[in-house]
Amino acid sequence: MLTELGGKGGCLCEPAKSGSLRCPLIVRPTSEDVITGHLFGTLRAINPRWWLPDFLNQALGVERFRRQVFRNLRIELWQKQPAFPRWLIPWDEGQTEVDVVITWENPPTTVFIEMKYGSPLSGSTVHNNGHAGYPSDQLIRNARVGLYQCGWYVEDKLFEFPSRDFNLILLSPKMGNPLVEQYRDLDKFQEAIPHSDKLASLPSDSFIGEMSYSGTIDIARTNHRFMNKTEQRLTDQLKSYIDLKMSQIRYNT
C-alpha cells in the first residue's frame, strides 16, 4: 500500500520503465492479487462485526447475518480447493484456487470471494470451454466447488456430517454483473451445473451476490465511530488506497 500510495518503493531502472524488461518487483496497477492482499490484509485487522455482516447482507441483498463474535474466524487468501469429483462433471478438472475464503463456526459458514479488478470474469476455465453443454465461467465453477466442499451434494459416505452454510460473492470495481443475476435464479443455477439432482438442497434463496470495492469501504466508513483508533486509522488509509485503485481502473479502461 505504501509503495502505491506514497511511492516508497524506490526508482525503477530505465529498461523496466520502458517495458523492455519485466521486473518482478514492479507493483503493477492492474494486479488483482495486490489489491486482494491490501484489502483483506487490512480487513483482517479490523473487528469483523464492523464490516463482515453488513458486507454479506448488502452483497446478497438479504438481512441474514448479524453482528456477533465470529468463532474461529479465518480469512484465507488464494486457497486451493480439492479437485471437483469426476463423477459429477463430464470433464477432468484440476484444483480451483479461490481468491478469498472466509470461514467461522457459529453457525458453520464458508464464504468464497471471487476478486476481479482489471479483467472480467473468465468465460471458460481449464479443461472446460463449454463443450459439454454447461456454462464454463469462473462464477459457476466456484459455486459448485463451494457447494461440494460444504457438503451440499448427496454421496454415499461412511460418516455423515452436517452441511455448512455457503455463500459466493463477486467483488469487483462495479456492480451489475449479468452472471450474478442469472445464477440468483435457482432454476437457471441448477440448469447450469451437471448432476444438479445430486444436490440435497441449496443453502438459501440468495447465496450468490456481488459487491463493489467502493461499497466495501463505505460499509467500514459507516461503522467508523464504533472502531478503536487503530481500526479507524486503518480504515482511512484503506479508503485512500481504494480511491487510488478506482482512479487507476478508470484510467486503464
Side-chain angles (χ1 to χ4, degrees), residues 206-246:
S206 180
F207 72 96
I208 296 178
E210 63 179 342
M211 177 58 71
S212 68
Y213 291 108
S214 298
T216 303
I217 299 304
D218 288 344
I219 287 169
R221 294 283 294 174
T222 298
N223 296 311
H224 196 266
R225 65 188 184 279
F226 302 121
M227 300 176 183
N228 61 40
K229 293 296 184 182
T230 300
E231 291 172 332
Q232 290 176 347
R233 188 71 171 270
L234 288 171
T235 300
D236 293 341
Q237 291 175 344
L238 190 57
K239 181 182 185 305
S240 297
Y241 176 71
I242 293 299
D243 287 345
L244 170 67
K245 301 308 291 184
M246 292 304 96

Side-chain angles (χ1 to χ4, degrees), residues 137-195:
D137 57 85
Q138 288 177 300
L139 200 63
I140 197 66
R141 174 170 172 165
N142 280 351
R144 56 178 168 73
V145 167
L147 288 171
Y148 183 80
Q149 293 304 317
C150 290
W152 290 91
Y153 279 85
V154 176
E155 291 184 287
D156 292 327
K157 296 179 181 178
L158 184 60
F159 299 103
E160 289 293 333
F161 297 95
S163 57
R164 300 176 62 86
D165 187 15
F166 172 69
N167 299 276
L168 172 62
I169 308 299
L170 173 64
L171 184 52
S172 58
K174 60 182 180 179
M175 306 276 282
N177 189 287
L179 287 176
V180 173
E181 189 65 28
Q182 176 181 332
Y183 296 142
R184 276 177 166 166
D185 183 317
L186 297 187
D187 290 334
K188 292 181 179 177
F189 175 80
Q190 290 179 310
E191 290 173 0
I193 58 176
H195 297 292

Side-chain angles (χ1 to χ4, degrees), residues 29-225:
T30 56
S31 173
E32 290 171 2
D33 288 348
V34 171
I35 194 170
T36 299
H38 283 338
L39 178 58
F40 283 95
T42 302
L43 290 176
R44 276 174 174 165
I46 298 173
N47 191 320
R49 72 171 58 204
W50 306 137
W51 64 271
L52 183 54
D54 293 346
F55 172 86
L56 294 173
N57 289 338
Q58 288 193 31
L60 297 169
V62 292
E63 292 295 323
R64 283 177 46 207
F65 299 91
R66 61 184 178 86
R67 292 199 174 108
Q68 64 177 45
V69 175
F70 293 89
R71 182 161 54 87
N72 295 337
L73 178 74
R74 296 178 64 88
I75 301 176
E76 304 290 343
L77 306 184
W78 309 298
Q79 188 182 82
K80 289 187 180 296
Q81 305 296 312
F84 197 74
R86 182 64 174 82
W87 65 273
L88 286 173
I89 48 176
W91 61 84
D92 290 317
E93 185 170 89
Q95 290 182 310
T96 296
E97 183 176 89
V98 181
D99 294 324
V100 183
V101 179
I102 304 176
T103 58
W104 66 90
E105 301 305 323
N106 57 323
T109 303
T110 296
V111 178
F112 281 7
I113 299 180
E114 175 67 26
M115 301 286 292
K116 285 297 166 188
Y117 177 63
S119 60
L121 277 171
S122 174
S124 61
T125 56
V126 178
H127 306 305
N128 181 19
N129 59 6
H131 64 280
Y134 294 95
S136 56
D137 57 85
Q138 288 177 300
L139 200 63
I140 197 66
R141 174 170 172 165
N142 280 351
R144 56 178 168 73
V145 167
L147 288 171
Y148 183 80
Q149 293 304 317
C150 290
W152 290 91
Y153 279 85
V154 176
E155 291 184 287
D156 292 327
K157 296 179 181 178
L158 184 60
F159 299 103
E160 289 293 333
F161 297 95
S163 57
R164 300 176 62 86
D165 187 15
F166 172 69
N167 299 276
L168 172 62
I169 308 299
L170 173 64
L171 184 52
S172 58
K174 60 182 180 179
M175 306 276 282
N177 189 287
L179 287 176
V180 173
E181 189 65 28
Q182 176 181 332
Y183 296 142
R184 276 177 166 166
D185 183 317
L186 297 187
D187 290 334
K188 292 181 179 177
F189 175 80
Q190 290 179 310
E191 290 173 0
I193 58 176
H195 297 292
S196 60
D197 58 304
K198 299 296 184 181
L199 287 168
S201 60
L202 290 171
S204 165
D205 289 342
S206 180
F207 72 96
I208 296 178
E210 63 179 342
M211 177 58 71
S212 68
Y213 291 108
S214 298
T216 303
I217 299 304
D218 288 344
I219 287 169
R221 294 283 294 174
T222 298
N223 296 311
H224 196 266
R225 65 188 184 279

